[in-house]
Amino acid sequence: MVESVGTGMTAAMGERDRSLQHRHNSGLLSARLQPRLIVHEPQHDEESVTTNMITGSTALDRYMGLSDRAVHDGAALDEALALFAADATVEIGPEPAHGSEAIAAFYRAHFAAHTEMKHFWNTTVLDDGALRAEWVCAARKTDGSLITVAGVEHATLDAQGLISHLHNEFTRLPG
């Protein structure tokens, strides 16, 4: 998302480009071209962000959106962990994490290594009810270094709508 454009760039843009930029910034363009894209906007008040992530989104959308906040917000981390079934399995790191305690330990360590992150993703509900999200992320590590990473998340939900299995395939390794 283009958040701001300097005056020099705006002056060089044609009328069509300014119109497209306005439509993109206002959500008109992205809403028409990418109706399933849900983007977490941390500059909004917490109530608006929570409403945006819950209304019309899947458990995988909520998980992805909460990840950005969980880096610095323990309540967001707890909310993200509550999306998993007690006996869930998460396959993201070198070893799978199975069960609530192992999953919580994995995510606490993961988020503790970052000071901020921003995800963008598209979620698809598959014919069997499983969820698939193509995602990208830019993040700042605690040592100040910047990384980008991308992948595809596959989530299976239990009868209560909680994530029972989450598997990630990296399409771009962290770096």
Short mmCIF file of all heavy atoms in Angstrom, two decimals, residues 57-104:
data_model
loop_
_atom_site.label_atom_id
_atom_site.label_comp_id
_atom_site.label_asym_id
_atom_site.label_seq_id
_atom_site.Cartn_x
_atom_site.Cartn_y
_atom_site.Cartn_z
N SER A 57 -13.60 -12.55 8.30
CA SER A 57 -12.29 -13.13 8.09
C SER A 57 -12.24 -14.55 8.64
O SER A 57 -13.07 -14.95 9.45
CB SER A 57 -11.21 -12.26 8.73
OG SER A 57 -11.38 -12.21 10.13
N THR A 58 -11.25 -15.29 8.20
CA THR A 58 -11.07 -16.66 8.65
C THR A 58 -10.13 -16.69 9.85
O THR A 58 -9.49 -15.70 10.18
CB THR A 58 -10.47 -17.51 7.52
OG1 THR A 58 -9.12 -17.07 7.31
CG2 THR A 58 -11.27 -17.40 6.23
N ALA A 59 -10.03 -17.86 10.48
CA ALA A 59 -9.08 -18.03 11.58
C ALA A 59 -7.66 -17.74 11.10
O ALA A 59 -6.85 -17.16 11.83
CB ALA A 59 -9.17 -19.43 12.15
N LEU A 60 -7.35 -18.11 9.86
CA LEU A 60 -6.02 -17.86 9.32
C LEU A 60 -5.78 -16.37 9.10
O LEU A 60 -4.69 -15.86 9.36
CB LEU A 60 -5.82 -18.66 8.03
CG LEU A 60 -4.40 -18.75 7.48
CD1 LEU A 60 -3.40 -19.24 8.53
CD2 LEU A 60 -4.37 -19.66 6.27
N ASP A 61 -6.80 -15.64 8.66
CA ASP A 61 -6.69 -14.18 8.52
C ASP A 61 -6.43 -13.53 9.88
O ASP A 61 -5.58 -12.65 10.01
CB ASP A 61 -7.96 -13.58 7.92
CG ASP A 61 -8.19 -13.97 6.48
OD1 ASP A 61 -7.22 -13.95 5.70
OD2 ASP A 61 -9.34 -14.29 6.15
N ARG A 62 -7.16 -13.97 10.90
CA ARG A 62 -6.98 -13.40 12.24
C ARG A 62 -5.57 -13.71 12.75
O ARG A 62 -4.91 -12.84 13.32
CB ARG A 62 -8.06 -13.91 13.18
CG ARG A 62 -9.44 -13.35 12.81
CD ARG A 62 -10.52 -13.67 13.83
NE ARG A 62 -10.75 -15.09 14.03
CZ ARG A 62 -11.55 -15.85 13.26
NH1 ARG A 62 -12.17 -15.31 12.22
NH2 ARG A 62 -11.72 -17.12 13.52
N TYR A 63 -5.10 -14.93 12.54
CA TYR A 63 -3.75 -15.32 12.94
C TYR A 63 -2.70 -14.44 12.27
O TYR A 63 -1.79 -13.94 12.94
CB TYR A 63 -3.54 -16.80 12.59
CG TYR A 63 -2.12 -17.25 12.48
CD1 TYR A 63 -1.37 -17.55 13.62
CD2 TYR A 63 -1.51 -17.40 11.24
CE1 TYR A 63 -0.06 -17.98 13.51
CE2 TYR A 63 -0.21 -17.82 11.12
CZ TYR A 63 0.51 -18.11 12.25
OH TYR A 63 1.81 -18.52 12.14
N MET A 64 -2.82 -14.24 10.98
CA MET A 64 -1.84 -13.43 10.25
C MET A 64 -1.87 -11.98 10.74
O MET A 64 -0.83 -11.38 10.98
CB MET A 64 -2.10 -13.48 8.74
CG MET A 64 -1.97 -14.86 8.12
SD MET A 64 -0.31 -15.54 8.15
CE MET A 64 0.46 -14.56 6.89
N GLY A 65 -3.05 -11.42 10.90
CA GLY A 65 -3.17 -10.04 11.36
C GLY A 65 -2.66 -9.84 12.78
O GLY A 65 -1.99 -8.85 13.07
N LEU A 66 -2.96 -10.78 13.65
CA LEU A 66 -2.50 -10.66 15.04
C LEU A 66 -0.99 -10.81 15.16
O LEU A 66 -0.38 -10.28 16.09
CB LEU A 66 -3.20 -11.71 15.91
CG LEU A 66 -4.67 -11.41 16.21
CD1 LEU A 66 -5.38 -12.66 16.73
CD2 LEU A 66 -4.79 -10.25 17.19
N SER A 67 -0.37 -11.49 14.21
CA SER A 67 1.09 -11.68 14.25
C SER A 67 1.82 -10.35 14.25
O SER A 67 2.85 -10.20 14.93
CB SER A 67 1.55 -12.52 13.07
OG SER A 67 1.06 -13.83 13.17
N ASP A 68 1.33 -9.38 13.50
CA ASP A 68 1.98 -8.08 13.46
C ASP A 68 1.97 -7.39 14.82
O ASP A 68 2.94 -6.74 15.22
CB ASP A 68 1.32 -7.18 12.43
CG ASP A 68 1.53 -7.67 11.00
OD1 ASP A 68 2.48 -8.42 10.75
OD2 ASP A 68 0.72 -7.29 10.15
N ARG A 69 0.88 -7.52 15.54
CA ARG A 69 0.76 -6.89 16.86
C ARG A 69 1.44 -7.70 17.95
O ARG A 69 1.91 -7.15 18.95
CB ARG A 69 -0.72 -6.71 17.23
CG ARG A 69 -1.37 -5.58 16.48
CD ARG A 69 -2.80 -5.27 16.92
NE ARG A 69 -3.16 -5.65 18.26
CZ ARG A 69 -4.29 -6.31 18.56
NH1 ARG A 69 -5.13 -6.69 17.62
NH2 ARG A 69 -4.56 -6.60 19.81
N ALA A 70 1.49 -9.03 17.79
CA ALA A 70 2.01 -9.91 18.84
C ALA A 70 3.47 -9.66 19.15
O ALA A 70 3.96 -10.02 20.22
CB ALA A 70 1.80 -11.37 18.44
N VAL A 71 4.19 -9.02 18.24
CA VAL A 71 5.60 -8.69 18.47
C VAL A 71 5.76 -7.81 19.71
O VAL A 71 6.72 -7.94 20.46
CB VAL A 71 6.19 -7.99 17.22
CG1 VAL A 71 7.54 -7.39 17.49
CG2 VAL A 71 6.24 -8.95 16.06
N HIS A 72 4.81 -6.90 19.94
CA HIS A 72 4.93 -5.95 21.04
C HIS A 72 3.71 -5.91 21.95
O HIS A 72 3.63 -5.09 22.84
CB HIS A 72 5.22 -4.54 20.50
CG HIS A 72 4.25 -4.11 19.45
ND1 HIS A 72 2.99 -3.68 19.73
CD2 HIS A 72 4.37 -4.08 18.10
CE1 HIS A 72 2.35 -3.40 18.60
NE2 HIS A 72 3.16 -3.63 17.60
N ASP A 73 2.76 -6.81 21.73
CA ASP A 73 1.51 -6.79 22.49
C ASP A 73 1.17 -8.20 22.97
O ASP A 73 0.75 -9.05 22.18
CB ASP A 73 0.40 -6.23 21.58
CG ASP A 73 -0.95 -6.13 22.25
OD1 ASP A 73 -1.14 -6.65 23.37
OD2 ASP A 73 -1.86 -5.53 21.63
N GLY A 74 1.38 -8.44 24.26
CA GLY A 74 1.12 -9.76 24.83
C GLY A 74 -0.32 -10.21 24.68
O GLY A 74 -0.60 -11.39 24.51
N ALA A 75 -1.27 -9.26 24.75
CA ALA A 75 -2.68 -9.61 24.59
C ALA A 75 -2.95 -10.12 23.17
O ALA A 75 -3.73 -11.06 22.98
CB ALA A 75 -3.57 -8.42 24.90
N ALA A 76 -2.31 -9.52 22.17
CA ALA A 76 -2.47 -9.99 20.79
C ALA A 76 -1.87 -11.38 20.63
O ALA A 76 -2.44 -12.23 19.93
CB ALA A 76 -1.82 -9.00 19.81
N LEU A 77 -0.74 -11.64 21.28
CA LEU A 77 -0.15 -12.98 21.23
C LEU A 77 -1.10 -13.99 21.86
O LEU A 77 -1.35 -15.06 21.30
CB LEU A 77 1.21 -13.00 21.94
CG LEU A 77 1.87 -14.37 22.04
CD1 LEU A 77 2.05 -15.03 20.68
CD2 LEU A 77 3.20 -14.25 22.77
N ASP A 78 -1.67 -13.66 23.01
CA ASP A 78 -2.62 -14.56 23.67
C ASP A 78 -3.83 -14.81 22.77
O ASP A 78 -4.33 -15.94 22.69
CB ASP A 78 -3.07 -13.99 25.01
CG ASP A 78 -1.95 -14.00 26.05
OD1 ASP A 78 -0.96 -14.73 25.86
OD2 ASP A 78 -2.08 -13.24 27.04
N GLU A 79 -4.31 -13.77 22.10
CA GLU A 79 -5.45 -13.90 21.20
C GLU A 79 -5.09 -14.81 20.02
O GLU A 79 -5.90 -15.65 19.60
CB GLU A 79 -5.87 -12.52 20.71
CG GLU A 79 -7.22 -12.49 20.04
CD GLU A 79 -7.67 -11.07 19.69
OE1 GLU A 79 -7.18 -10.10 20.30
OE2 GLU A 79 -8.52 -10.96 18.79
N ALA A 80 -3.88 -14.66 19.49
CA ALA A 80 -3.44 -15.51 18.39
C ALA A 80 -3.33 -16.97 18.85
O ALA A 80 -3.77 -17.89 18.15
CB ALA A 80 -2.10 -15.02 17.84
N LEU A 81 -2.78 -17.19 20.03
CA LEU A 81 -2.65 -18.56 20.55
C LEU A 81 -4.01 -19.20 20.80
O LEU A 81 -4.16 -20.41 20.65
CB LEU A 81 -1.81 -18.55 21.84
CG LEU A 81 -0.34 -18.18 21.65
CD1 LEU A 81 0.34 -18.02 23.01
CD2 LEU A 81 0.37 -19.21 20.78
N ALA A 82 -5.01 -18.40 21.13
CA ALA A 82 -6.36 -18.91 21.37
C ALA A 82 -7.02 -19.41 20.08
O ALA A 82 -8.05 -20.10 20.14
CB ALA A 82 -7.23 -17.85 22.03
N LEU A 83 -6.45 -19.10 18.94
CA LEU A 83 -6.99 -19.59 17.66
C LEU A 83 -6.63 -21.04 17.40
O LEU A 83 -7.16 -21.66 16.47
CB LEU A 83 -6.46 -18.72 16.50
CG LEU A 83 -6.89 -17.26 16.51
CD1 LEU A 83 -6.10 -16.48 15.47
CD2 LEU A 83 -8.39 -17.15 16.26
N PHE A 84 -5.73 -21.62 18.21
CA PHE A 84 -5.28 -22.99 18.02
C PHE A 84 -6.00 -23.95 18.97
O PHE A 84 -6.22 -23.63 20.13
CB PHE A 84 -3.77 -23.09 18.27
CG PHE A 84 -2.94 -22.41 17.22
CD1 PHE A 84 -2.57 -21.09 17.35
CD2 PHE A 84 -2.55 -23.10 16.08
CE1 PHE A 84 -1.82 -20.45 16.38
CE2 PHE A 84 -1.80 -22.48 15.10
CZ PHE A 84 -1.43 -21.15 15.24
N ALA A 85 -6.32 -25.13 18.47
CA ALA A 85 -6.89 -26.19 19.30
C ALA A 85 -5.82 -26.64 20.30
O ALA A 85 -4.61 -26.49 20.04
CB ALA A 85 -7.31 -27.37 18.42
N ALA A 86 -6.24 -27.19 21.43
CA ALA A 86 -5.31 -27.60 22.48
C ALA A 86 -4.29 -28.63 21.99
O ALA A 86 -3.15 -28.64 22.44
CB ALA A 86 -6.08 -28.15 23.68
N ASP A 87 -4.70 -29.49 21.06
CA ASP A 87 -3.80 -30.53 20.56
C ASP A 87 -3.28 -30.24 19.15
O ASP A 87 -2.89 -31.14 18.42
CB ASP A 87 -4.50 -31.89 20.59
CG ASP A 87 -5.73 -31.93 19.70
OD1 ASP A 87 -6.22 -30.86 19.27
OD2 ASP A 87 -6.22 -33.05 19.43
N ALA A 88 -3.26 -28.97 18.79
CA ALA A 88 -2.84 -28.56 17.44
C ALA A 88 -1.35 -28.86 17.21
O ALA A 88 -0.57 -29.00 18.15
CB ALA A 88 -3.10 -27.07 17.23
N THR A 89 -1.00 -28.90 15.92
CA THR A 89 0.39 -29.05 15.51
C THR A 89 0.73 -27.88 14.59
O THR A 89 -0.05 -27.55 13.69
CB THR A 89 0.62 -30.37 14.75
OG1 THR A 89 0.31 -31.46 15.62
CG2 THR A 89 2.06 -30.50 14.27
N VAL A 90 1.88 -27.25 14.84
CA VAL A 90 2.37 -26.15 14.00
C VAL A 90 3.70 -26.59 13.41
O VAL A 90 4.62 -26.96 14.13
CB VAL A 90 2.55 -24.86 14.83
CG1 VAL A 90 3.23 -23.78 14.01
CG2 VAL A 90 1.20 -24.36 15.33
N GLU A 91 3.78 -26.54 12.08
CA GLU A 91 5.00 -26.90 11.37
C GLU A 91 5.52 -25.67 10.64
O GLU A 91 5.16 -25.42 9.49
CB GLU A 91 4.73 -28.02 10.37
CG GLU A 91 4.30 -29.32 11.01
CD GLU A 91 4.01 -30.38 9.98
OE1 GLU A 91 2.89 -30.35 9.41
OE2 GLU A 91 4.91 -31.20 9.72
N ILE A 92 6.34 -24.90 11.34
CA ILE A 92 6.95 -23.71 10.74
C ILE A 92 8.46 -23.77 10.91
O ILE A 92 9.21 -23.57 9.98
CB ILE A 92 6.39 -22.41 11.36
CG1 ILE A 92 4.92 -22.27 11.03
CG2 ILE A 92 7.17 -21.20 10.86
CD1 ILE A 92 4.24 -21.07 11.63
N GLY A 93 8.92 -24.05 12.10
CA GLY A 93 10.35 -24.13 12.38
C GLY A 93 10.92 -25.48 12.00
O GLY A 93 10.27 -26.31 11.37
N PRO A 94 12.15 -25.72 12.45
CA PRO A 94 12.81 -26.99 12.11
C PRO A 94 12.13 -28.21 12.72
O PRO A 94 12.19 -29.29 12.16
CB PRO A 94 14.23 -26.81 12.65
CG PRO A 94 14.17 -25.67 13.61
CD PRO A 94 13.01 -24.83 13.22
N GLU A 95 11.49 -28.03 13.86
CA GLU A 95 10.77 -29.12 14.52
C GLU A 95 9.31 -28.71 14.72
O GLU A 95 9.04 -27.58 15.11
CB GLU A 95 11.39 -29.42 15.89
CG GLU A 95 12.81 -29.94 15.83
CD GLU A 95 12.90 -31.30 15.17
OE1 GLU A 95 11.99 -32.13 15.38
OE2 GLU A 95 13.88 -31.54 14.44
N PRO A 96 8.38 -29.63 14.47
CA PRO A 96 6.96 -29.30 14.71
C PRO A 96 6.72 -29.03 16.20
O PRO A 96 7.37 -29.61 17.06
CB PRO A 96 6.21 -30.56 14.28
CG PRO A 96 7.17 -31.36 13.47
CD PRO A 96 8.55 -30.97 13.93
N ALA A 97 5.79 -28.11 16.46
CA ALA A 97 5.35 -27.84 17.83
C ALA A 97 3.97 -28.48 17.97
O ALA A 97 3.08 -28.21 17.16
CB ALA A 97 5.27 -26.34 18.08
N HIS A 98 3.81 -29.33 18.98
CA HIS A 98 2.53 -30.02 19.16
C HIS A 98 1.99 -29.73 20.56
O HIS A 98 2.68 -29.90 21.56
CB HIS A 98 2.70 -31.54 18.99
CG HIS A 98 1.42 -32.29 19.13
ND1 HIS A 98 0.44 -32.27 18.17
CD2 HIS A 98 0.94 -33.03 20.15
CE1 HIS A 98 -0.59 -33.00 18.59
NE2 HIS A 98 -0.31 -33.47 19.78
N GLY A 99 0.74 -29.26 20.61
CA GLY A 99 0.09 -28.95 21.88
C GLY A 99 0.27 -27.49 22.26
O GLY A 99 1.19 -26.81 21.80
N SER A 100 -0.63 -27.03 23.12
CA SER A 100 -0.68 -25.62 23.50
C SER A 100 0.63 -25.08 24.05
O SER A 100 1.06 -23.99 23.68
CB SER A 100 -1.80 -25.39 24.53
OG SER A 100 -3.04 -25.69 23.95
N GLU A 101 1.27 -25.82 24.97
CA GLU A 101 2.50 -25.32 25.60
C GLU A 101 3.63 -25.18 24.59
O GLU A 101 4.34 -24.17 24.58
CB GLU A 101 2.90 -26.24 26.75
CG GLU A 101 2.00 -26.10 27.96
CD GLU A 101 2.47 -26.96 29.13
OE1 GLU A 101 3.69 -27.23 29.23
OE2 GLU A 101 1.62 -27.34 29.94
N ALA A 102 3.81 -26.18 23.74
CA ALA A 102 4.89 -26.13 22.75
C ALA A 102 4.64 -25.03 21.71
O ALA A 102 5.57 -24.33 21.30
CB ALA A 102 5.04 -27.49 22.06
N ILE A 103 3.39 -24.87 21.31
CA ILE A 103 3.05 -23.82 20.34
C ILE A 103 3.28 -22.44 20.95
O ILE A 103 3.86 -21.56 20.32
CB ILE A 103 1.60 -24.00 19.83
CG1 ILE A 103 1.51 -25.27 18.98
CG2 ILE A 103 1.13 -22.77 19.06
CD1 ILE A 103 0.09 -25.69 18.63
N ALA A 104 2.86 -22.25 22.20
CA ALA A 104 3.08 -20.96 22.87
C ALA A 104 4.57 -20.67 23.00
O ALA A 104 5.01 -19.55 22.75
CB ALA A 104 2.41 -20.97 24.25
#
